[in-house]
């Protein structure tokens, strides 16, 4: 759609406007200076443009955001635009007034603004796309649990590099840690420590980058802060012996009547290397038995194809489908998937005698087992669904056969360990 196009703005027209490589505006032919801005992410925002200082060709041109389409109807946006444009014709400068107000903005208000308008991916192939709902939920929660208590009272323009470094130290030392009961069976536990500090710092930096783009601050001071910005390498993974302990624990708990859904989810975490909710929330239409893959609708990196080991396929085929649900592991009540792993996982690792092990450790185990078995990094990436290989498989139509064979070779070792065997049954090497 041409940037210069001027038409009568309607709800239908705005809904039909598609994002392009660059953001563009569609201007209203009824109210001069009123328009809708369509961002590259698909966001649609009402804006006005006017000449400051009462107008005139030499006066600087200003743009002001009126509000988001959806939060405002077309008529509400047009009415608000008329008020702002009328003020501009008598010498008022709404853009300058907003800038002055933003100079007085407190950090707590910046968190509110960032949550409402700024939670977009800032780099990589998905740049400009809205964050996934869960990612946004966790990010905003960290900002509210750490940034608001420690920096929320300060004006945005008052924050200096030293304040950021002190913030990092305070979160590390647990100053923002808290335990709040919200009601029956609801509580929020906020923990400090180096890991929490690094995550909160990254969130603060993302918010400052947003504020810099909006002209609220001149630069992102997090770039100058001297703090430990990178996570320590997590090298924890299970040995074959520990996998045997985990498999034995699952078998014993199953014999005792423990919910088999949690146990089968655990086994599939081991055999696939998938992330926690990729298995817990797996749907039957995502399981492609003919090709021997999982075709995940939506993973951390978007749609993803994962090769399956034979052992994982056998386990999935043994699971009976429940009527009325497309989930492989449906909840006992309601329409969601099974949520009980959070309760049962500690019992599983305790029975197995394992320390410092999380569901994500099993993903590390798959990666470590694959590379230590001599599999190429590209094939390991195919098994784990890393973003670069996913993109290659999606657009270059990489053959699945090599990664399927790799998954099967690794899966045999993992399945043998789960069964308490020291090594897979001897025989002909997997084709």
């Amino acid at each position: 759609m041409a940037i210069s196009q001027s038409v009568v703005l309607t709800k239908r027209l705005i809904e039909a406007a598609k994002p392009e490589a660059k953001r563009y505006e569609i201007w209203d032919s009824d109210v001069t200076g009123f328009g809708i801005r369509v961002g590259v992410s698909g966001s649609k925002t009402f804006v006005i443009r006017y000449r400051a200082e009462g107008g005139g060709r030499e006066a600087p041109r200003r743009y002001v955001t009126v509000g988001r389409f959806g939060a405002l109807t077309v008529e509400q946006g047009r009415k608000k635009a008329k008020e702002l444009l009328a003020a501009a014709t008598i010498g008022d400068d709404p853009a300058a007034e907003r800038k002055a107000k933003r100079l007085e903005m407190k950090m707590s208000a910046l968190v509110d603004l960032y949550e409402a308008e700024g939670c977009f991916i800032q780099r990589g192939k998905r740049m400009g796309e809205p964050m996934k709902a869960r990612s946004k939920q966790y990010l905003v929660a960290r900002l509210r649990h750490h940034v608001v208590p420690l920096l929320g009272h300060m004006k945005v323009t008052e924050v200096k590099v030293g304040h950021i470094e002190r913030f990092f130290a305070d979160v590390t030392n647990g100053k923002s840690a808290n335990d709040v009961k919200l009601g029956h069976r609801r509580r929020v536990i906020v923990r400090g420590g180096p890991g929490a500090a690094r995550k909160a710092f990254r969130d603060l930096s993302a918010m400052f980058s947003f504020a810099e783009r909006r002209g609220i601050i001149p630069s992102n001071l997090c770039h100058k802060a001297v703090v430990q910005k990178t996570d320590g390498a997590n090298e924890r993974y299970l040995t074959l012996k520990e996998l045997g302990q985990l498999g034995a624990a699952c078998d014993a708990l199953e014999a005792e009547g423990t919910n088999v859904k949690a146990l089968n989810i655990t086994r599939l975490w081991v055999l696939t290397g998938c992330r926690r909710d990729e298995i817990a929330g797996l749907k039957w239409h995502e399981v492609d038995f003919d090709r021997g893959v999982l075709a995940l609708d939506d993973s951390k990196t978007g749609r993803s194809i994962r090769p399956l080991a034979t052992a994982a396929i056998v386990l999935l085929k043994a699971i009976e489908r429940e009527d009325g649900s497309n989930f492989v592991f449906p909840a006992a009540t309601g329409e969601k998937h099974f949520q009980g792993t959070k309760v049962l996982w500690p019992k599983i690792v305790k029975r197995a005698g394992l320390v410092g092990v999380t569901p994500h450790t099993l993903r590390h185990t798959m990666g470590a087992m694959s590379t230590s078995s001599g599999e190429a990094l590209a094939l390991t990436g195919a098994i784990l669904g890393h973003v670069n290989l996913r993109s290659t498989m999606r657009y270059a139509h990489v053959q699945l056969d090599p990664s399927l064979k790799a998954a099967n070779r690794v899966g045999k070792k993992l399945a043998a360990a789960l069964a308490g065997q020291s090594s897979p049954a001897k025989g002909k090497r997997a084709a």
Side-chain angles (χ1 to χ4, degrees), residues 282-288 295-297 303 321 326 328:
L282 186 66
K283 298 184 175 84
W284 280 115
H285 74 262
E286 296 175 314
V287 183
D288 188 335
L296 302 177
D297 291 336
R303 182 168 173 78
R321 300 193 184 196
N326 190 35
V328 178

Side-chain angles (χ1 to χ4, degrees), residues 8-24:
V8 177
L9 290 182
T10 64
K11 180 175 182 288
R12 178 177 295 180
L13 183 144
I14 294 174
E15 288 177 340
K18 303 297 182 183
E20 297 182 358
K22 294 183 179 180
R23 75 179 188 184
Y24 65 91

Side-chain angles (χ1 to χ4, degrees), residues 5-42:
Q5 184 166 353
S6 180
V7 295
V8 177
L9 290 182
T10 64
K11 180 175 182 288
R12 178 177 295 180
L13 183 144
I14 294 174
E15 288 177 340
K18 303 297 182 183
E20 297 182 358
K22 294 183 179 180
R23 75 179 188 184
Y24 65 91
E25 291 85 21
I26 308 171
W27 298 105
D28 187 36
S29 58
D30 277 359
V31 178
T32 303
F34 170 57
I36 188 77
R37 174 175 290 161
V38 182
V40 294
S41 66

